[in-house]
Amino acid sequence: MKFLEKNLVALDVAATSAEDAIRAAGQLLVEEKLVEAHYPDAMVDSYKTNGPYFVLAPQIALPHARPEDGVNEASVSFVRLREPVVFGNPANDPVTLVFALGASSSDEHLQIIQKLMKLLGDSANVEALKTVSNYEEINLLIGGN
Amino acid sequence: MKILCVCGLGQGTSLILRMNVETVLRELGISADVENTDVSTASSMAPDYIVTSNELAQTLEGTASKVIIVNNYFDMNEIKTALQNNLS
């Protein structure tokens, strides 16, 4: 399981569309070989097919696809967008914080979802993620890797 | 009582919703069978209630289950209010 490790985090990434933002977060997983190169395509396909339901809280998107779309290991990356992007979810737009989930079918899937919920279930953490200036501050929020 | 938490793929988003729904139900002292799945199989599982986002609720129009909408999956108060207002 790889959860918001240093190479899986990018702050203030430029994206002009939801698809850009999804691909930016997905690419971090690809580069670490946690998912196959086509996984971001599957994430974008899901967005186009099912809509922006994965914008699951104000400013927070959790794009993902299925385990069989090329997930090698349960993983979560994080991209903070330089400018907020509209995903088409009226209740929670615009999106600033994008967490790409490499959804695995292993037991680690549940564990990694619980880690994510622990982080994002605390609104103080969410506020902090909007303003942190480097990885070390994020590492403190998640309790170290 | 059977409650189904529904998202597009049945992988991540609905699992988060399910865990938070289970937490709220425990607080309310309500016992229910809670599962999560994707939007294409939800109706065929014929739950008493479906909890999902506004986007997917539109897709589920016509289902026999009562649909409960939650916008912020991390807002325990919103989930609690939505369940209290809709569960009977």
Side-chain angles (χ1 to χ4, degrees):
Chain A
M1 168 170 35
K2 297 282 190 296
F3 181 75
L4 302 183
E5 294 185 0
K6 190 166 186 181
N7 290 343
L8 297 177
V9 172
L11 296 178
D12 305 326
V13 171
T16 53
S17 67
E19 181 172 338
D20 267 4
I22 292 167
R23 289 192 184 279
Q27 191 57 32
L28 293 174
L29 299 178
V30 172
E31 282 165 14
E32 295 300 306
K33 300 191 167 33
L34 300 165
V35 301
E36 297 296 324
H38 61 270
Y39 188 75
D41 298 333
M43 294 163 72
V44 169
D45 286 348
S46 171
Y47 168 59
K48 289 178 176 168
T49 306
N50 296 307
Y53 73 86
F54 56 88
V55 183
L56 72 188
Q59 299 188 57
I60 301 174
L62 179 69
H64 60 282
R66 290 191 165 92
E68 56 269 31
D69 292 317
V71 177
N72 297 324
E73 186 173 350
S75 47
V76 175
S77 66
F78 169 51
V79 163
R80 186 174 70 196
L81 302 175
R82 197 167 65 199
E83 306 288 342
V85 169
V86 170
F87 275 54
N89 183 314
N92 295 324
D93 267 336
V95 171
T96 310
L97 312 177
V98 182
F99 296 85
L101 169 69
S104 98
S105 53
S106 69
D107 294 342
E108 288 187 340
H109 180 61
L110 185 59
Q111 294 168 27
I112 209 162
I113 290 283
Q114 284 171 331
K115 282 170 93 77
L116 192 63
M117 288 173 69
K118 191 175 167 208
L119 177 69
L120 300 179
D122 183 340
S123 56
N125 288 341
V126 175
E127 288 308 306
L129 285 170
K130 293 174 192 169
T131 59
V132 290
S133 53
N134 56 52
Y135 181 74
E136 296 315 312
E137 293 174 52
I138 293 175
N139 202 27
L140 285 175
L141 290 178
I142 62 178
N145 247 313
Chain B
M1 174 164 63
K2 188 168 170 182
I3 300 175
L4 207 50
C5 298
V6 173
C7 75
L9 302 174
Q11 299 290 337
T13 318
S14 60
L15 182 58
I16 290 173
L17 184 59
R18 172 188 166 180
M19 290 198 275
N20 283 337
V21 163
E22 285 174 336
T23 300
V24 167
L25 289 173
R26 270 197 302 276
E27 282 173 19
L28 294 173
I30 298 170
S31 82
D33 173 18
V34 187
E35 288 185 61
N36 64 299
T37 191
D38 66 86
V39 67
S40 58
T41 53
S43 290
S44 65
M45 291 173 74
D48 300 300
Y49 300 94
I50 290 175
V51 188
T52 192
S53 64
N54 189 37
E55 275 71 28
L56 294 178
Q58 292 163 14
T59 311
L60 289 162
E61 266 177 22
T63 180
S65 312
K66 182 162 188 183
V67 178
I68 301 173
I69 292 171
V70 171
N71 285 313
N72 183 344
Y73 285 22
F74 292 116
D75 184 341
M76 303 305 274
N77 287 325
E78 181 186 341
I79 295 172
K80 187 184 239 175
T81 303
L83 292 177
Q84 281 176 322
N85 287 347
N86 287 286
L87 298 183
S88 51

